[in-house]
Structure formats: C-alpha cells, structure tokens
Amino acid sequence: QVQLVESGGGLVQAGGSLRLSCAASGTFFRLDAMGWYRQAPGKQRELVAVTTSGGSTNYADSVKGRFTISRDNAKNTVYLQMNSLKPEDTAVYYCNAGARRLMGGSSDYWGQGTQVTVSS
C-alpha cells in the first residue's frame, strides 16, 4: 500500500507562484510515473504534468512554460512549481503515482488533493 501526502496549496494572486509537494510512503518496490492532475468545479479531472522514473516530462498545453514538474527519487517525492498563475488554474490538485509491488504487479495511487485558488 502506498500513501501520497500533498502539501503547498493555498491562495495566491494572479501572477504569483506556488510549489506543490507530494511525498509517497508505504511498502513498494519502486515508483514509476508520478504526476499532477487537477479538477475545477463542474469540470473533469485533467492531467497537468507527469514525470517518469527516468525524468521524462509531459505537460498540458495550458501550463507549458509556466509549470515545472520534478521529482526526487531518493525522497519518493514529486514537486510542481507553478509560476505566472492565472485564475483559471484554480482547482483541487491531486498527486498520482504508479507503484510496483514487492511481489509483482503495479497499482495506481492518488493523494487526497490540495486546493489552489488564484484570485484576479
């Protein structure tokens, strides 16, 4: 079982910055892809950014050039640096991670979510 604990959300003015963190703990062989999703009120959850265990990254078009995803494999932690925030970035941000189990196979895990609110 893997637990994902997010931190770093909050209220910020448009143009400001926030840094989200997500730390994974529990029993697993290794973590695969880790990423961030977000869900705004009345909308479906969408991918924001993802990074593989090897460090490759992928971003939603709406955040390219403003957000940066990174990970520290030694700490089992993924980060999302969000700059030039816009009101439309307001959402609950969820951490996601794929983990290989000790006895084989893999599972997908989600954090509890952290609120990001950008005021205009």
Side-chain angles (χ1 to χ4, degrees), residues 1 3 5 8 13 16 25-28 33 42 44 54 66 70 72 77 86 92 94-96 110 115 117 120:
Q1 191 71 11
Q3 294 79 42
V5 178
Q13 288 188 332
S25 62
T27 303
F28 52 89
Q44 290 187 332
R66 300 188 298 122
S70 61
D72 184 334
T77 299
K86 304 176 181 180
V92 177
Y94 296 91
C95 177
N96 172 267
W110 292 90
Q115 177 71 45
T117 302
S120 57

Short mmCIF file of all heavy atoms in Angstrom, two decimals, residues 1 3 5 8 13 16 25-28 33 42 44 54 66 70 72 77 86 92 94-96 110 115 117 120:
data_model
loop_
_atom_site.label_atom_id
_atom_site.label_comp_id
_atom_site.label_asym_id
_atom_site.label_seq_id
_atom_site.Cartn_x
_atom_site.Cartn_y
_atom_site.Cartn_z
N GLN A 1 0.85 -1.19 0.00
CA GLN A 1 0.00 0.00 0.00
C GLN A 1 0.88 1.24 0.00
O GLN A 1 1.92 1.29 0.67
CB GLN A 1 -0.91 0.00 1.23
CG GLN A 1 -2.01 1.04 1.20
CD GLN A 1 -3.09 0.71 0.19
OE1 GLN A 1 -3.13 -0.39 -0.35
NE2 GLN A 1 -3.95 1.67 -0.08
N GLN A 3 0.88 5.54 0.35
CA GLN A 3 0.17 6.75 0.75
C GLN A 3 0.87 7.95 0.09
O GLN A 3 2.09 8.04 0.09
CB GLN A 3 0.19 6.94 2.27
CG GLN A 3 -0.59 5.88 3.04
CD GLN A 3 0.22 4.58 3.20
OE1 GLN A 3 1.41 4.62 3.48
NE2 GLN A 3 -0.44 3.45 3.01
N VAL A 5 0.95 12.07 0.22
CA VAL A 5 0.57 13.23 1.02
C VAL A 5 1.02 14.49 0.31
O VAL A 5 2.22 14.70 0.09
CB VAL A 5 1.19 13.16 2.43
CG1 VAL A 5 0.82 14.41 3.24
CG2 VAL A 5 0.72 11.90 3.15
N GLY A 8 1.34 22.35 0.07
CA GLY A 8 1.77 23.51 -0.69
C GLY A 8 0.67 24.30 -1.36
O GLY A 8 0.93 25.34 -1.97
N GLN A 13 -2.41 35.52 -5.55
CA GLN A 13 -2.90 36.44 -6.56
C GLN A 13 -2.42 36.03 -7.95
O GLN A 13 -1.38 35.37 -8.09
CB GLN A 13 -2.43 37.85 -6.25
CG GLN A 13 -3.13 38.49 -5.06
CD GLN A 13 -2.77 39.95 -4.90
OE1 GLN A 13 -1.69 40.38 -5.28
NE2 GLN A 13 -3.69 40.73 -4.32
N GLY A 16 1.27 35.19 -9.37
CA GLY A 16 2.08 34.66 -8.29
C GLY A 16 2.52 33.23 -8.54
O GLY A 16 2.28 32.65 -9.60
N SER A 25 4.82 7.26 0.64
CA SER A 25 5.34 6.38 1.69
C SER A 25 4.58 5.06 1.65
O SER A 25 3.53 4.96 1.03
CB SER A 25 5.18 7.04 3.06
OG SER A 25 3.83 7.27 3.37
N GLY A 26 5.12 4.07 2.32
CA GLY A 26 4.48 2.76 2.35
C GLY A 26 5.42 1.68 1.86
O GLY A 26 6.63 1.86 1.85
N THR A 27 4.84 0.59 1.44
CA THR A 27 5.62 -0.57 1.02
C THR A 27 5.46 -0.78 -0.47
O THR A 27 4.36 -1.03 -0.95
CB THR A 27 5.15 -1.82 1.78
OG1 THR A 27 5.26 -1.60 3.18
CG2 THR A 27 6.03 -3.01 1.39
N PHE A 28 6.55 -0.63 -1.18
CA PHE A 28 6.52 -0.84 -2.63
C PHE A 28 7.93 -1.11 -3.10
O PHE A 28 8.90 -0.79 -2.41
CB PHE A 28 5.93 0.37 -3.35
CG PHE A 28 6.55 1.69 -2.98
CD1 PHE A 28 7.66 2.17 -3.66
CD2 PHE A 28 6.03 2.46 -1.94
CE1 PHE A 28 8.23 3.38 -3.32
CE2 PHE A 28 6.60 3.68 -1.60
CZ PHE A 28 7.71 4.14 -2.28
N ALA A 33 5.76 6.29 -12.98
CA ALA A 33 5.39 7.66 -13.29
C ALA A 33 4.70 8.33 -12.09
O ALA A 33 3.95 7.68 -11.36
CB ALA A 33 4.47 7.71 -14.50
N GLY A 42 -17.18 21.61 -11.42
CA GLY A 42 -18.00 21.37 -12.59
C GLY A 42 -17.24 20.83 -13.79
O GLY A 42 -17.83 20.69 -14.87
N GLN A 44 -14.13 18.00 -15.44
CA GLN A 44 -13.50 16.70 -15.24
C GLN A 44 -12.05 16.88 -14.78
O GLN A 44 -11.42 17.91 -15.05
CB GLN A 44 -13.52 15.91 -16.54
CG GLN A 44 -14.90 15.43 -16.95
CD GLN A 44 -14.86 14.50 -18.15
OE1 GLN A 44 -13.96 14.58 -18.98
NE2 GLN A 44 -15.81 13.58 -18.22
N GLY A 54 12.53 7.92 -15.09
CA GLY A 54 13.76 8.32 -15.74
C GLY A 54 13.91 9.82 -15.91
O GLY A 54 14.95 10.30 -16.37
N ARG A 66 4.91 27.61 -17.84
CA ARG A 66 4.60 28.23 -16.54
C ARG A 66 4.83 27.26 -15.37
O ARG A 66 5.24 27.68 -14.29
CB ARG A 66 3.15 28.70 -16.52
CG ARG A 66 2.81 29.73 -17.57
CD ARG A 66 1.40 30.30 -17.36
NE ARG A 66 0.37 29.28 -17.48
CZ ARG A 66 -0.52 28.99 -16.52
NH1 ARG A 66 -0.48 29.63 -15.38
NH2 ARG A 66 -1.44 28.06 -16.72
N SER A 70 9.05 18.12 -11.17
CA SER A 70 10.34 17.50 -10.88
C SER A 70 10.12 16.44 -9.81
O SER A 70 9.07 16.41 -9.15
CB SER A 70 11.36 18.55 -10.42
OG SER A 70 10.93 19.17 -9.23
N ASP A 72 12.28 13.85 -6.74
CA ASP A 72 13.46 13.44 -6.00
C ASP A 72 13.25 11.97 -5.67
O ASP A 72 12.49 11.64 -4.75
CB ASP A 72 13.61 14.28 -4.73
CG ASP A 72 14.88 13.97 -3.96
OD1 ASP A 72 15.38 12.85 -4.07
OD2 ASP A 72 15.35 14.85 -3.23
N THR A 77 9.47 11.77 -3.74
CA THR A 77 8.67 12.99 -3.73
C THR A 77 8.65 13.61 -5.12
O THR A 77 9.66 13.62 -5.83
CB THR A 77 9.25 14.00 -2.72
OG1 THR A 77 9.22 13.43 -1.41
CG2 THR A 77 8.44 15.29 -2.71
N LYS A 86 -2.74 31.85 -13.06
CA LYS A 86 -3.92 32.52 -13.61
C LYS A 86 -5.16 32.06 -12.84
O LYS A 86 -5.17 30.96 -12.30
CB LYS A 86 -4.08 32.17 -15.09
CG LYS A 86 -2.88 32.47 -15.95
CD LYS A 86 -3.10 31.99 -17.38
CE LYS A 86 -1.90 32.27 -18.26
NZ LYS A 86 -2.12 31.80 -19.66
N VAL A 92 -8.68 21.85 -7.42
CA VAL A 92 -8.05 20.94 -6.47
C VAL A 92 -7.01 20.15 -7.26
O VAL A 92 -7.32 19.57 -8.31
CB VAL A 92 -9.08 19.99 -5.83
CG1 VAL A 92 -8.37 19.01 -4.90
CG2 VAL A 92 -10.13 20.78 -5.07
N TYR A 94 -4.38 17.08 -7.51
CA TYR A 94 -4.18 15.73 -6.99
C TYR A 94 -2.86 15.16 -7.47
O TYR A 94 -2.52 15.26 -8.66
CB TYR A 94 -5.31 14.81 -7.46
CG TYR A 94 -6.67 15.17 -6.95
CD1 TYR A 94 -7.50 16.02 -7.66
CD2 TYR A 94 -7.14 14.66 -5.74
CE1 TYR A 94 -8.76 16.36 -7.20
CE2 TYR A 94 -8.40 14.98 -5.27
CZ TYR A 94 -9.21 15.83 -6.01
OH TYR A 94 -10.45 16.17 -5.55
N CYS A 95 -2.17 14.52 -6.56
CA CYS A 95 -0.96 13.79 -6.90
C CYS A 95 -1.33 12.37 -7.29
O CYS A 95 -2.25 11.77 -6.71
CB CYS A 95 -0.03 13.78 -5.68
SG CYS A 95 1.49 12.84 -5.89
N ASN A 96 -0.63 11.83 -8.27
CA ASN A 96 -0.86 10.47 -8.73
C ASN A 96 0.48 9.76 -8.88
O ASN A 96 1.46 10.38 -9.33
CB ASN A 96 -1.60 10.48 -10.06
CG ASN A 96 -1.71 9.11 -10.69
OD1 ASN A 96 -0.87 8.72 -11.49
ND2 ASN A 96 -2.73 8.37 -10.30
N TRP A 110 -3.64 7.72 -5.54
CA TRP A 110 -3.98 9.14 -5.56
C TRP A 110 -3.82 9.75 -4.18
O TRP A 110 -4.08 9.11 -3.17
CB TRP A 110 -5.43 9.33 -6.00
CG TRP A 110 -5.68 8.96 -7.42
CD1 TRP A 110 -6.05 7.74 -7.91
CD2 TRP A 110 -5.57 9.82 -8.55
NE1 TRP A 110 -6.17 7.79 -9.27
CE2 TRP A 110 -5.88 9.05 -9.70
CE3 TRP A 110 -5.24 11.16 -8.72
CZ2 TRP A 110 -5.87 9.60 -10.99
CZ3 TRP A 110 -5.23 11.70 -9.99
CH2 TRP A 110 -5.54 10.93 -11.11
N GLN A 115 -6.06 22.28 -2.38
CA GLN A 115 -6.74 23.37 -3.08
C GLN A 115 -5.76 24.46 -3.48
O GLN A 115 -4.96 24.93 -2.67
CB GLN A 115 -7.83 23.96 -2.18
CG GLN A 115 -8.56 25.15 -2.79
CD GLN A 115 -9.46 24.76 -3.94
OE1 GLN A 115 -10.20 23.77 -3.85
NE2 GLN A 115 -9.41 25.51 -5.04
N THR A 117 -6.10 28.23 -5.18
CA THR A 117 -7.02 29.28 -5.57
C THR A 117 -6.22 30.50 -6.02
O THR A 117 -5.37 30.99 -5.27
CB THR A 117 -7.94 29.67 -4.41
OG1 THR A 117 -8.66 28.50 -3.97
CG2 THR A 117 -8.94 30.73 -4.85
N SER A 120 -8.04 37.09 -8.99
CA SER A 120 -7.74 38.04 -10.09
C SER A 120 -7.49 39.43 -9.56
O SER A 120 -7.72 39.73 -8.40
CB SER A 120 -8.88 38.05 -11.09
OG SER A 120 -10.09 38.39 -10.46
#
